[in-house]
Amino acid sequence: MMAADTPLEAHLTNLAAALAPFRRHEPLLARWGAALARRLVDGGRLLVAGNGGSAAEAQHLTAELVGKLREDRQPLSALALHAETSAMTAIGNDYGYDEVFARQVRAHGRDCDILLLLSTSGSSANLLAAARAGRDGGLTCWALTGPAPNPLAELCHDVLAVDSPDSQVVQELHLVTSHLLCEYVERELPVALAVPVRTGVEVVLDGGAAQQAQGVMRRQA
């Protein structure tokens, strides 16, 4: 029988303790999946950033969206900001490491995009700067963090906070979150593709006033 104080037993005990409260995030994950599917179908993008292990998880998530999780489907636009290594090092050299994500958000972010920031501590200065840049640019800002409250959670519009003091467990459940988010996105894609989208053509009248001529377009799945 395995000793109760081995690294394996201690780690699994911490993971098991975090799994029960993690289940309460199901409504949030379903809501995020539906919102993200709609944004991506509408031409928006997902911008993701993190440091260290969280950077690896951010890139894992974008790979699943641009590629696929299960069944073949259209590619979805998702960018891991830390993967722009030349931009990262240039910005860090010229403006400091706190700006490596924020400047990219200001460069690439549009008000139809979603910015997702991963941090076990919720206090990384470069992610806080990115969140501020995202909010200033009109992006929807989400965070994956460790226990809340924390500074990043307070800056973002929505947060999934993993309730564990162990940063390794937090990162492991962030990976679970990424897979589940992709699951919900792929489940919601047929709905998002079928919803009529209003398009408009601006018509300028003799008096100079502009009216919007509305048409309806239905996306093809």
PDB file of all heavy atoms in Angstrom, residues 167-184:
ATOM      1  N   SER A 167      -0.451  25.674  -7.065  1.00  0.00           N
ATOM      2  CA  SER A 167      -0.403  26.220  -8.426  1.00  0.00           C
ATOM      3  C   SER A 167      -0.368  25.126  -9.485  1.00  0.00           C
ATOM      4  O   SER A 167      -0.856  25.313 -10.603  1.00  0.00           O
ATOM      5  CB  SER A 167       0.802  27.149  -8.587  1.00  0.00           C
ATOM      6  OG  SER A 167       2.018  26.444  -8.377  1.00  0.00           O
ATOM      7  N   GLN A 168       0.213  23.959  -9.153  1.00  0.00           N
ATOM      8  CA  GLN A 168       0.213  22.859 -10.116  1.00  0.00           C
ATOM      9  C   GLN A 168      -1.206  22.356 -10.373  1.00  0.00           C
ATOM     10  O   GLN A 168      -1.593  22.101 -11.518  1.00  0.00           O
ATOM     11  CB  GLN A 168       1.087  21.711  -9.595  1.00  0.00           C
ATOM     12  CG  GLN A 168       2.563  22.071  -9.480  1.00  0.00           C
ATOM     13  CD  GLN A 168       3.369  20.931  -8.871  1.00  0.00           C
ATOM     14  OE1 GLN A 168       3.197  19.779  -9.245  1.00  0.00           O
ATOM     15  NE2 GLN A 168       4.235  21.257  -7.937  1.00  0.00           N
ATOM     16  N   VAL A 169      -1.980  22.234  -9.333  1.00  0.00           N
ATOM     17  CA  VAL A 169      -3.377  21.814  -9.483  1.00  0.00           C
ATOM     18  C   VAL A 169      -4.161  22.860 -10.268  1.00  0.00           C
ATOM     19  O   VAL A 169      -4.988  22.523 -11.120  1.00  0.00           O
ATOM     20  CB  VAL A 169      -4.012  21.560  -8.104  1.00  0.00           C
ATOM     21  CG1 VAL A 169      -5.532  21.404  -8.216  1.00  0.00           C
ATOM     22  CG2 VAL A 169      -3.400  20.321  -7.449  1.00  0.00           C
ATOM     23  N   VAL A 170      -3.893  24.129 -10.002  1.00  0.00           N
ATOM     24  CA  VAL A 170      -4.571  25.196 -10.737  1.00  0.00           C
ATOM     25  C   VAL A 170      -4.292  25.068 -12.222  1.00  0.00           C
ATOM     26  O   VAL A 170      -5.209  25.122 -13.053  1.00  0.00           O
ATOM     27  CB  VAL A 170      -4.135  26.592 -10.216  1.00  0.00           C
ATOM     28  CG1 VAL A 170      -4.684  27.694 -11.116  1.00  0.00           C
ATOM     29  CG2 VAL A 170      -4.606  26.791  -8.787  1.00  0.00           C
ATOM     30  N   GLN A 171      -3.023  24.864 -12.584  1.00  0.00           N
ATOM     31  CA  GLN A 171      -2.683  24.717 -14.002  1.00  0.00           C
ATOM     32  C   GLN A 171      -3.328  23.476 -14.612  1.00  0.00           C
ATOM     33  O   GLN A 171      -3.789  23.503 -15.762  1.00  0.00           O
ATOM     34  CB  GLN A 171      -1.164  24.664 -14.188  1.00  0.00           C
ATOM     35  CG  GLN A 171      -0.502  26.031 -14.047  1.00  0.00           C
ATOM     36  CD  GLN A 171       0.953  26.006 -14.450  1.00  0.00           C
ATOM     37  OE1 GLN A 171       1.598  24.963 -14.458  1.00  0.00           O
ATOM     38  NE2 GLN A 171       1.483  27.169 -14.784  1.00  0.00           N
ATOM     39  N   GLU A 172      -3.367  22.392 -13.864  1.00  0.00           N
ATOM     40  CA  GLU A 172      -3.989  21.171 -14.388  1.00  0.00           C
ATOM     41  C   GLU A 172      -5.472  21.378 -14.662  1.00  0.00           C
ATOM     42  O   GLU A 172      -6.006  20.910 -15.687  1.00  0.00           O
ATOM     43  CB  GLU A 172      -3.751  20.018 -13.407  1.00  0.00           C
ATOM     44  CG  GLU A 172      -2.315  19.525 -13.423  1.00  0.00           C
ATOM     45  CD  GLU A 172      -1.893  18.811 -12.148  1.00  0.00           C
ATOM     46  OE1 GLU A 172      -2.767  18.581 -11.281  1.00  0.00           O
ATOM     47  OE2 GLU A 172      -0.700  18.480 -12.032  1.00  0.00           O
ATOM     48  N   LEU A 173      -6.154  22.098 -13.800  1.00  0.00           N
ATOM     49  CA  LEU A 173      -7.575  22.355 -14.026  1.00  0.00           C
ATOM     50  C   LEU A 173      -7.791  23.454 -15.063  1.00  0.00           C
ATOM     51  O   LEU A 173      -8.854  23.503 -15.689  1.00  0.00           O
ATOM     52  CB  LEU A 173      -8.274  22.669 -12.711  1.00  0.00           C
ATOM     53  CG  LEU A 173      -8.429  21.446 -11.801  1.00  0.00           C
ATOM     54  CD1 LEU A 173      -9.149  21.798 -10.508  1.00  0.00           C
ATOM     55  CD2 LEU A 173      -9.161  20.313 -12.515  1.00  0.00           C
ATOM     56  N   HIS A 174      -6.792  24.299 -15.287  1.00  0.00           N
ATOM     57  CA  HIS A 174      -6.874  25.218 -16.431  1.00  0.00           C
ATOM     58  C   HIS A 174      -6.836  24.432 -17.738  1.00  0.00           C
ATOM     59  O   HIS A 174      -7.509  24.798 -18.713  1.00  0.00           O
ATOM     60  CB  HIS A 174      -5.736  26.239 -16.384  1.00  0.00           C
ATOM     61  CG  HIS A 174      -5.950  27.321 -15.379  1.00  0.00           C
ATOM     62  ND1 HIS A 174      -5.028  28.324 -15.149  1.00  0.00           N
ATOM     63  CD2 HIS A 174      -6.993  27.594 -14.552  1.00  0.00           C
ATOM     64  CE1 HIS A 174      -5.491  29.144 -14.219  1.00  0.00           C
ATOM     65  NE2 HIS A 174      -6.674  28.711 -13.845  1.00  0.00           N
ATOM     66  N   LEU A 175      -6.052  23.357 -17.785  1.00  0.00           N
ATOM     67  CA  LEU A 175      -6.025  22.519 -18.983  1.00  0.00           C
ATOM     68  C   LEU A 175      -7.375  21.828 -19.180  1.00  0.00           C
ATOM     69  O   LEU A 175      -7.891  21.755 -20.293  1.00  0.00           O
ATOM     70  CB  LEU A 175      -4.903  21.485 -18.890  1.00  0.00           C
ATOM     71  CG  LEU A 175      -4.781  20.512 -20.061  1.00  0.00           C
ATOM     72  CD1 LEU A 175      -4.589  21.260 -21.381  1.00  0.00           C
ATOM     73  CD2 LEU A 175      -3.641  19.528 -19.831  1.00  0.00           C
ATOM     74  N   VAL A 176      -7.945  21.322 -18.100  1.00  0.00           N
ATOM     75  CA  VAL A 176      -9.290  20.743 -18.175  1.00  0.00           C
ATOM     76  C   VAL A 176     -10.272  21.791 -18.694  1.00  0.00           C
ATOM     77  O   VAL A 176     -11.127  21.508 -19.549  1.00  0.00           O
ATOM     78  CB  VAL A 176      -9.730  20.213 -16.797  1.00  0.00           C
ATOM     79  CG1 VAL A 176     -11.198  19.793 -16.812  1.00  0.00           C
ATOM     80  CG2 VAL A 176      -8.854  19.041 -16.362  1.00  0.00           C
ATOM     81  N   THR A 177     -10.139  23.015 -18.197  1.00  0.00           N
ATOM     82  CA  THR A 177     -11.011  24.109 -18.636  1.00  0.00           C
ATOM     83  C   THR A 177     -10.873  24.352 -20.129  1.00  0.00           C
ATOM     84  O   THR A 177     -11.868  24.547 -20.833  1.00  0.00           O
ATOM     85  CB  THR A 177     -10.675  25.392 -17.864  1.00  0.00           C
ATOM     86  OG1 THR A 177     -10.888  25.171 -16.469  1.00  0.00           O
ATOM     87  CG2 THR A 177     -11.539  26.559 -18.328  1.00  0.00           C
ATOM     88  N   SER A 178      -9.640  24.336 -20.630  1.00  0.00           N
ATOM     89  CA  SER A 178      -9.417  24.561 -22.061  1.00  0.00           C
ATOM     90  C   SER A 178     -10.105  23.493 -22.898  1.00  0.00           C
ATOM     91  O   SER A 178     -10.761  23.788 -23.906  1.00  0.00           O
ATOM     92  CB  SER A 178      -7.916  24.575 -22.365  1.00  0.00           C
ATOM     93  OG  SER A 178      -7.293  25.684 -21.762  1.00  0.00           O
ATOM     94  N   HIS A 179      -9.965  22.239 -22.494  1.00  0.00           N
ATOM     95  CA  HIS A 179     -10.617  21.163 -23.235  1.00  0.00           C
ATOM     96  C   HIS A 179     -12.136  21.292 -23.183  1.00  0.00           C
ATOM     97  O   HIS A 179     -12.824  21.133 -24.197  1.00  0.00           O
ATOM     98  CB  HIS A 179     -10.179  19.802 -22.680  1.00  0.00           C
ATOM     99  CG  HIS A 179      -8.803  19.402 -23.092  1.00  0.00           C
ATOM    100  ND1 HIS A 179      -8.030  18.542 -22.357  1.00  0.00           N
ATOM    101  CD2 HIS A 179      -8.053  19.745 -24.169  1.00  0.00           C
ATOM    102  CE1 HIS A 179      -6.860  18.359 -22.963  1.00  0.00           C
ATOM    103  NE2 HIS A 179      -6.863  19.092 -24.065  1.00  0.00           N
ATOM    104  N   LEU A 180     -12.661  21.615 -22.011  1.00  0.00           N
ATOM    105  CA  LEU A 180     -14.110  21.757 -21.880  1.00  0.00           C
ATOM    106  C   LEU A 180     -14.620  22.959 -22.663  1.00  0.00           C
ATOM    107  O   LEU A 180     -15.694  22.896 -23.287  1.00  0.00           O
ATOM    108  CB  LEU A 180     -14.490  21.888 -20.406  1.00  0.00           C
ATOM    109  CG  LEU A 180     -14.415  20.593 -19.603  1.00  0.00           C
ATOM    110  CD1 LEU A 180     -14.561  20.884 -18.110  1.00  0.00           C
ATOM    111  CD2 LEU A 180     -15.487  19.611 -20.055  1.00  0.00           C
ATOM    112  N   LEU A 181     -13.866  24.050 -22.653  1.00  0.00           N
ATOM    113  CA  LEU A 181     -14.282  25.215 -23.426  1.00  0.00           C
ATOM    114  C   LEU A 181     -14.372  24.871 -24.905  1.00  0.00           C
ATOM    115  O   LEU A 181     -15.334  25.249 -25.587  1.00  0.00           O
ATOM    116  CB  LEU A 181     -13.298  26.367 -23.200  1.00  0.00           C
ATOM    117  CG  LEU A 181     -13.620  27.688 -23.904  1.00  0.00           C
ATOM    118  CD1 LEU A 181     -15.000  28.210 -23.533  1.00  0.00           C
ATOM    119  CD2 LEU A 181     -12.544  28.727 -23.582  1.00  0.00           C
ATOM    120  N   CYS A 182     -13.392  24.126 -25.410  1.00  0.00           N
ATOM    121  CA  CYS A 182     -13.443  23.687 -26.810  1.00  0.00           C
ATOM    122  C   CYS A 182     -14.636  22.769 -27.052  1.00  0.00           C
ATOM    123  O   CYS A 182     -15.296  22.841 -28.094  1.00  0.00           O
ATOM    124  CB  CYS A 182     -12.154  22.979 -27.192  1.00  0.00           C
ATOM    125  SG  CYS A 182     -10.717  24.057 -27.287  1.00  0.00           S
ATOM    126  N   GLU A 183     -14.927  21.888 -26.094  1.00  0.00           N
ATOM    127  CA  GLU A 183     -16.092  21.003 -26.215  1.00  0.00           C
ATOM    128  C   GLU A 183     -17.368  21.828 -26.368  1.00  0.00           C
ATOM    129  O   GLU A 183     -18.214  21.559 -27.236  1.00  0.00           O
ATOM    130  CB  GLU A 183     -16.213  20.113 -24.973  1.00  0.00           C
ATOM    131  CG  GLU A 183     -15.127  19.072 -24.834  1.00  0.00           C
ATOM    132  CD  GLU A 183     -15.528  17.732 -25.437  1.00  0.00           C
ATOM    133  OE1 GLU A 183     -16.512  17.671 -26.198  1.00  0.00           O
ATOM    134  OE2 GLU A 183     -14.838  16.743 -25.127  1.00  0.00           O
ATOM    135  N   TYR A 184     -17.529  22.839 -25.511  1.00  0.00           N
ATOM    136  CA  TYR A 184     -18.737  23.658 -25.568  1.00  0.00           C
ATOM    137  C   TYR A 184     -18.784  24.493 -26.841  1.00  0.00           C
ATOM    138  O   TYR A 184     -19.854  24.698 -27.418  1.00  0.00           O
ATOM    139  CB  TYR A 184     -18.828  24.545 -24.328  1.00  0.00           C
ATOM    140  CG  TYR A 184     -19.323  23.815 -23.101  1.00  0.00           C
ATOM    141  CD1 TYR A 184     -18.461  23.486 -22.064  1.00  0.00           C
ATOM    142  CD2 TYR A 184     -20.656  23.429 -22.993  1.00  0.00           C
ATOM    143  CE1 TYR A 184     -18.909  22.810 -20.937  1.00  0.00           C
ATOM    144  CE2 TYR A 184     -21.111  22.754 -21.874  1.00  0.00           C
ATOM    145  CZ  TYR A 184     -20.238  22.443 -20.845  1.00  0.00           C
ATOM    146  OH  TYR A 184     -20.686  21.764 -19.739  1.00  0.00           O
TER     147      TYR A 184
END
